[in-house]
Amino acid sequence: MSMLSMKGVSLALEGTRVLDDIALHVGAGEFVSILGPSGAGKSTILRLLTGALRPDQGVITCGGAPLDPRDHGFAFMPQRDALMPWRRIIDNATLGLEVQGVPRREARARVLPLLEAFGLSGFEGHYPAQLSGGMRQRAALLRTVAQNRSMLLLDEPFGALDALTRTRMQRWFEERWREGRWSTLLVTHDIREAVALSDRIYVLSRRPARVIAERAVPMARPRLGRPATAKAHALEAELLDILLTQTGDSP
Amino acid sequence: MQRPVPRHKGGGVARGIPAVLSVACAFALWEIYVRLSGISPLVLPAPSRVVEQMVLNRSLLWDNTLPTIKATLAGFALSVTVAFVFSVLLDFRPRLRRALFPIFVVSQTLPLVAIAPLVVLWFGFDLAPKVLLVALVTFFPMLVSLVDGYESTDPEIEALLFSMGASRGVVFRSARLPSAMPYFFAGLRISITYAVVAAIFAEYVGARAGLGIVILNAKNSFRPDLMLAAVVISSALTLVLFALTALLQRVALRWRDFGDQR
């Protein structure tokens, strides 16, 4: 079953065409990445899905029904962690449940067992400013997963981290995902990240963004924490070539 | 863009020592000058004389300090309440903001010297005109700090909340209001210092009792020592209220004491 499907979606913002005839889909339990140059409109696609923007043309359906921008069933994680500095980690993690109307006590009871897997046990009473960048990102991911929605939307979740922390987080996230198997749409400009984590990858052009390539990633998981296979290297090289030569005018 | 949040860092007692020393030095120099020059206490009384007068007139001063405290606190409470109500209204209704903001700005341009006698004329010699004047003076800084505070909210946090299906009201309560708190307390600390001055001025213009009346009477009877005694009390009062708001801020914004430990 298709969790999410976009067909012929176009959008102009302030007179500039940002998205041009975008078509993509995400199956149940599938990990799909959108790869594209910076500023291509990758995040704009997520903003369409979270209801912050409406498409000018095209159809978006989730689970077969048209997208309801008010109740879309996605759990969204923005680029920066967007943790509330005045809330303790546990209260940041329960935010989504609270907004859904779950009483605070029950929300905490649901999130507490997840802390361990997210490497945050013992830190639930800390404020975000007391945590390292990697821990903050894990807390933001916990807040996303804890919403218990049908699909995760991740907007460059590891982009703001230093290279070492990013690699560590990607490995850790692969493990978590193998346990959870959440339907996921990941937006990134990191080719290795896309190849390591995804089942399928869409490549976007520069503005106005079109889907210029779609590649399946057949390699067995886990892929991180071991030497990359020749297949993975070949796919990375191919995607790099597409991004360098086919995305449109160079900046 | 996110605006920088004003930070308040608590300091130890040791950090206050230079300030205490410099003030003590200033008073010592003043005392020495008065003694050496033999200047008349009707022109410049020595600090020791001011203290002496404070002790001698303690019941008079105390009886007149209480009404000032009452006017300050009542006016300030009114101002903060009204500023909060309006800040919420303006935040939810941007058009109202365009309509009302100019009026609030104009309210700040009115010279207190002219407004105070009018307010006393309209509302009499009791508490009401003082409360109104304190509120008039402190309302605008409080409103601006709240409105600016709401605007300082991280747009990503708002986008996140909206993506969770939060209503405008939930976003206000769980993101905009907490984001405004550091600004609110900054405004509170500035306004409380205006509040005492405004209350005393309102009394000076017309009242039955208060530090403003003490100053007025002392002036009319050529008693600079008593005037200065009232000034000392009003300063002390302002400092105490200032310290209370700082304390309130420490308690309310405890999360900010946990600095970056990355």
Side-chain angles (χ1 to χ4, degrees), chain B residues 139-153:
Chain B
F139 169 76
F140 189 68
M142 286 316 303
L143 182 77
V144 169
S145 56
L146 280 167
V147 169
D148 278 0
Y150 300 145
E151 289 305 310
S152 77
T153 310

Side-chain angles (χ1 to χ4, degrees), chain A residues 72 78 86 127 129-131 136, chain B residues 156 163 174 178 255 258 262:
Chain A
H72 44 65
W86 56 86
Y127 287 98
Q130 293 173 281
L131 302 191
R136 290 171 63 110
Chain B
E156 287 217 24
S163 85
S174 53
W255 56 272
F258 299 94
R262 283 170 222 190

